[in-house]
Amino acid sequence: MILAAQSRELLESLFRTAVAAVHPSRCLPPNLPDPPPRGRLVVLAAGKAAGSLTEVAEGHYLGLVPESRLDGIAVTRHGYGRPTRYIPVIEAGHPVPDEAGLAGTERALVLADSTGEHDIVLVLLSGGASANWIAPAAGITLAEKQATTRALLRSGANIGEINCVRKHLSRIKGGRLARRAYPSKVVTLAISDVPGDDPAVIGSGPTVPDPTTLEDARAIVREYRLELPATVMRALADSDNESPKPGHKAFAQNTYRIIARPADALAAAEARARQAGYDCMVLGDRLQGEAREVAAEHARLAREAAAGGRRVALLSGGELTVTLRGGGRGGPNQEYALALAIYLDGAKGVAALAADTDGTDGGRGKPDDPAGAFVDDTTLARARAAGLDPAAFLADNDSTRFFNGIGDLFTPGPTFTNVTDFRAIVVDRPSS
């Protein structure tokens, strides 16, 4: 158990090192634009890092911009708010949007509409913005948008597919915020939470041209056999809901910069692991696929490393998916961890942590939801001693209750940033 405890301490330090590398306090200040010489600076922020991004930006501009020329609003997840003096921070629903998000988004759109050619609209974007900025297309109610979100999240669709549908049911996503802010200059600074760092996918691309179409969205609905409200299906057939495309004048003078990405977090964790004396295998920062299937492959690699007597850390990022077939609770990281434990089957000297860098993984939408879970070579034995059948919990998508039953949930609380999932497996030479 001594080796397991040491591995767990290392794994948590890798996670916290990765998160610190992509926190707004580190990555935002060097990228903030100069304030406009005559007009207003309007800060519009959304996502799980919106509170901390706004806190850092406001602190930077105080003294540089008169209060009368500084405006804005931030919408973040419940529990992720930060203290600000002038720019309000609204806490709203995630992953399912709520009334608070609707009100905050309407305020953001009013502010965008009010800007002119001498103003700068500073958009601070982070993962979670798609749920926090909620402005349903004409004819769609909030309840219908919530039902659509739940269906998408249960379907097993990847984040790009989910956001494609969202963009065609919105008045802010898919480039529409930039269109509303025209002719002001829009500067977007984004923390990427999507594999591949595609600006059109991050936060559903509110300030960039949308390469996807209504037909693409309908094809996704067909592929995953989604049962959506009739009003939603009508909206997806309405050409008025097509998003603005490349070449639209609203994008002509805008700038977009990604200030932190999953690769940055993994690079920091890799440096920390090497400092601790481990070789590293970085499996990629943009992994996608079913959590349990990815876990099977990672277990194979870890067992091979253990059999070869290697001391190695296997690191990966990306956003895995879960196709819900059971009635339990959990998230992609916890499901990955449970499947990993099963496939490792107690392999000696192997320990792992899978956690969402925002501090919560699935759950009830509460800030104290678990971020993920730990696994080590005693996981299965302790579970069975407690009367828990790992395979049954996996079949029921009930990873939260499984790990809670053996005390292996990882609950760091909100991190105020978000660059998708973080997974680390450390392989040590077990003592004889």
Side-chain angles (χ1 to χ4, degrees):
M1 288 297 292
I2 294 176
L3 182 58
Q6 292 173 338
S7 296
R8 185 169 297 200
E9 183 179 341
L10 172 64
L11 289 163
E12 185 167 344
S13 77
L14 294 177
F15 174 84
R16 296 194 183 281
T17 297
V19 166
V22 293
H23 191 275
S25 61
R26 180 176 296 187
C27 62
L28 181 60
N31 292 288
L32 288 168
D34 292 334
R38 288 191 288 166
R40 290 181 299 155
L41 177 68
V42 178
V43 179
L44 303 179
K48 297 169 191 173
S52 52
L53 285 164
T54 302
E55 179 185 28
V56 172
E58 186 186 79
H60 174 85
Y61 287 114
L62 289 177
L64 296 177
V65 180
E67 181 185 344
S68 61
R69 293 202 285 121
L70 181 63
D71 207 343
I73 190 168
V75 185
T76 192
R77 179 175 175 156
H78 287 296
Y80 285 65
R82 297 295 299 161
T84 53
R85 291 176 59 184
Y86 300 113
I87 302 172
V89 177
I90 305 298
E91 295 187 11
H94 182 280
V96 178
D98 63 9
E99 291 282 358
L102 183 63
T105 307
E106 293 294 347
R107 174 59 182 160
L109 290 173
V110 168
L111 283 168
D113 289 342
S114 74
T115 58
E117 59 181 337
H118 299 300
D119 300 328
I120 290 179
V121 177
L122 176 61
V123 177
L124 303 176
L125 204 59
S126 56
S130 294
N132 292 152
W133 266 350
I134 174 70
I140 300 174
T141 67
L142 174 60
E144 290 164 340
K145 195 68 176 285
Q146 290 170 327
T148 300
T149 300
R150 292 189 182 98
L152 286 165
L153 293 173
R154 291 180 62 91
S155 70
N158 65 41
I159 190 62
E161 293 169 324
I162 290 172
N163 285 359
C164 172
V165 177
R166 283 166 156 170
K167 284 187 282 189
H168 291 91
L169 299 171
S170 174
R171 290 177 288 115
I172 191 168
K173 299 175 175 68
R176 293 178 180 85
L177 178 60
R179 189 168 65 185
R180 298 283 289 257
Y182 181 81
S184 62
K185 180 180 181 181
V186 177
V187 177
T188 305
L189 302 178
I191 295 178
S192 171
D193 74 321
V194 302
D197 307 322
D198 184 351
V201 179
I202 299 170
S204 297
T207 61
V208 295
D210 180 28
T212 70
T213 65
L214 281 163
E215 175 51 37
D216 293 331
R218 293 192 295 267
I220 292 164
V221 172
R222 291 193 298 270
E223 178 180 353
Y224 291 96
R225 300 178 182 179
L226 300 178
E227 294 184 7
L228 303 181
T231 53
V232 169
M233 296 306 300
R234 286 196 294 271
L236 291 177
D238 186 347
S239 61
D240 287 344
N241 290 323
E242 190 56 89
S243 48
K245 304 304 179 193
H248 193 287
K249 64 182 180 181
F251 307 114
Q253 62 169 344
N254 297 348
T255 60
Y256 191 107
R257 184 177 305 127
I258 297 175
I259 61 173
R261 61 197 77 214
D264 301 326
L266 284 187
E270 179 184 4
R272 171 72 183 89
R274 292 190 184 280
Q275 184 184 48
Y278 289 81
D279 291 334
C280 286
M281 294 174 58
V282 179
L283 305 177
D285 63 87
R286 54 186 67 183
L287 272 61
Q288 299 185 75
E290 280 287 326
R292 62 184 67 187
E293 295 173 6
V294 175
E297 173 61 15
H298 289 185
R300 182 187 67 79
L301 294 172
R303 290 172 68 93
E304 286 180 358
R310 298 180 63 190
R311 192 167 191 253
V312 62
L314 290 75
L315 306 174
S316 64
E319 187 155 304
L320 306 183
T321 54
V322 173
T323 302
L324 290 176
R325 300 180 178 88
R329 286 197 300 117
N333 291 286
Q334 295 164 79
E335 177 137 333
Y336 167 94
L338 177 52
L340 184 72
I342 293 171
Y343 288 119
L344 286 173
D345 195 24
K348 295 300 181 184
V350 181
L353 171 62
D356 198 315
T357 54
D358 66 20
T360 55
D361 176 54
R364 303 158 296 165
K366 305 291 186 181
D368 60 350
D369 286 335
F374 291 100
V375 169
D376 61 41
D377 52 18
T378 70
T379 297
L380 296 188
R382 288 185 289 116
R384 286 166 181 151
L388 306 177
D389 180 355
F393 279 89
L394 183 62
D396 197 32
N397 300 118
D398 202 8
S399 51
T400 296
R401 195 156 64 98
F402 175 84
F403 284 111
N404 188 54
I406 57 174
D408 282 353
L409 288 173
F410 178 51
T411 310
T415 64
F416 306 105
T417 192
N418 182 27
V419 289
T420 69
D421 302 332
F422 173 82
R423 294 173 293 274
I425 305 172
V426 293
V427 180
D428 280 288
R429 302 181 187 92
S431 56
S432 57

